Amino acid sequence: MAVEHLNIPPANHVKVLGGQGWIGLIDHLGTESTIVNAARVSFGKLKTEMDDRDVKLLEYLIANKHTSPLEHMVFTFSIHCPLFVRGQWHRHRTWSYNEISRRYTEVDMEFYTPEALRRQAASDRQASVADPEFDGTALQQDIAAHNQASFELYEKLLASGVCREQARGVLPQNMMVTFWGTVDLSNLLHFLELRDSEHAQYEIREYAIAIKQLIKPIVPNVAKYFASKGQDW
């Protein structure tokens, strides 16, 4: 039986963070027809193809926040991201998560080094701003060196017989992790509203934009609805 490695992205994936991260669509349950069928279940009707009336019903459900029919469509993603992005992601508790654990393996350790460094926003303590005149090359090299030094200490601890669950404590927030996340469409749309926003951190916003790219062929009418409201889909 073939065993695929978790840190290899699935065939249907999008690279982000300059290629250092990625997100892939593992599987999905249901279609847009599932949504409208769920909305009409009280009438005992079932359809297999969408028509114009179904599209209008779908738009009505979204516009009026009738979320339960959307919960019958589910997506599972594989996400490869820095620890600090994973921390933000896991605040969305409507998702189900399973993650590679450094208690069990030390293979394929990777660390994120930003392609560019941003400045702190003057008026918003949780925001950052790009500054084309800011040359962070030397600082980026310092970050890469810090990542390497942390990894070397980690390996030293393991070689000295320290258990993995303690040795991992020296690894930085820039360590890349891989996890699976499963979510229904209603909660996914809420995630995208928050994370593909100018108020979201740049790094997690890249993943939100990539999710739209992955699911748009599966929910084209949902995407069209939000595009008609001026959102990027």
Side-chain angles (χ1 to χ4, degrees):
M1 181 175 63
V3 178
E4 295 187 5
H5 207 288
L6 183 64
N7 273 356
I8 297 176
N12 187 14
H13 73 277
V14 178
K15 291 185 176 181
V16 295
L17 305 182
Q20 296 181 72
W22 46 260
I23 178 168
L25 182 61
I26 297 291
D27 202 359
H28 78 277
L29 172 68
T31 65
E32 290 182 327
S33 292
T34 305
I35 299 169
V36 295
N37 281 330
R40 292 194 177 111
V41 72
S42 57
F43 296 99
K45 295 182 178 180
L46 186 69
K47 298 177 66 175
T48 58
E49 295 183 3
M50 296 280 289
D51 58 26
D52 290 342
R53 290 185 64 191
D54 296 318
V55 173
K56 291 185 182 301
L57 173 58
L58 180 62
E59 293 174 347
Y60 175 85
L61 294 172
I62 297 172
N64 291 276
K65 301 188 184 301
H66 294 309
T67 58
S68 60
L70 280 71
E71 293 170 9
H72 292 276
M73 191 171 188
V74 180
F75 296 86
T76 296
F77 301 95
S78 179
I79 301 110
H80 189 60
C81 67
L83 267 174
F84 65 86
V85 171
R86 185 265 271 159
Q88 292 179 324
W89 210 304
H90 282 204
R91 289 184 60 81
H92 296 268
R93 289 170 289 177
T94 54
W95 291 57
S96 297
Y97 301 106
N98 286 97
E99 180 181 322
I100 190 170
S101 174
R102 291 305 170 188
R103 291 185 68 191
Y104 302 115
T105 179
E106 66 274 5
V107 299
D108 291 342
M109 305 281 283
E110 295 179 61
F111 300 90
Y112 172 62
T113 300
E115 289 187 292
L117 297 178
R118 304 183 297 277
R119 292 193 181 276
Q120 183 66 40
S123 59
D124 187 345
R125 63 172 54 180
Q126 74 170 10
S128 61
V129 292
D131 183 353
E133 296 183 0
F134 177 44
D135 183 3
T137 303
L139 294 173
Q140 289 167 281
Q141 293 172 352
D142 289 341
I143 292 172
H146 174 74
N147 292 340
Q148 182 61 30
S150 298
F151 179 60
E152 290 173 359
L153 176 56
Y154 172 77
E155 288 194 311
K156 180 180 179 180
L157 292 169
L158 293 180
S160 300
V162 176
C163 60
R164 282 191 290 261
E165 63 186 24
Q166 287 184 311
R168 63 181 175 171
V170 304
L171 297 171
Q173 284 287 303
N174 273 353
M175 186 181 75
M176 301 294 289
V177 296
T178 305
F179 66 91
W180 279 25
T182 298
V183 64
D184 65 66
L185 178 59
S186 176
N187 284 299
L188 178 57
L189 293 176
H190 180 60
F191 174 91
L192 295 175
E193 179 185 3
L194 295 175
R195 296 305 183 177
D196 184 13
S197 162
E198 61 182 11
H199 302 293
Q201 184 168 330
Y202 169 83
E203 285 81 5
I204 198 169
R205 187 175 187 182
E206 282 210 1
Y207 286 90
I209 292 170
I211 287 174
K212 290 181 178 180
Q213 183 176 336
L214 289 168
I215 71 170
K216 184 175 180 178
I218 303 169
V219 288
N221 292 297
V222 173
K224 188 181 298 183
Y225 169 81
F226 284 107
S228 71
K229 303 301 180 181
Q231 298 186 25
D232 291 328
W233 270 80

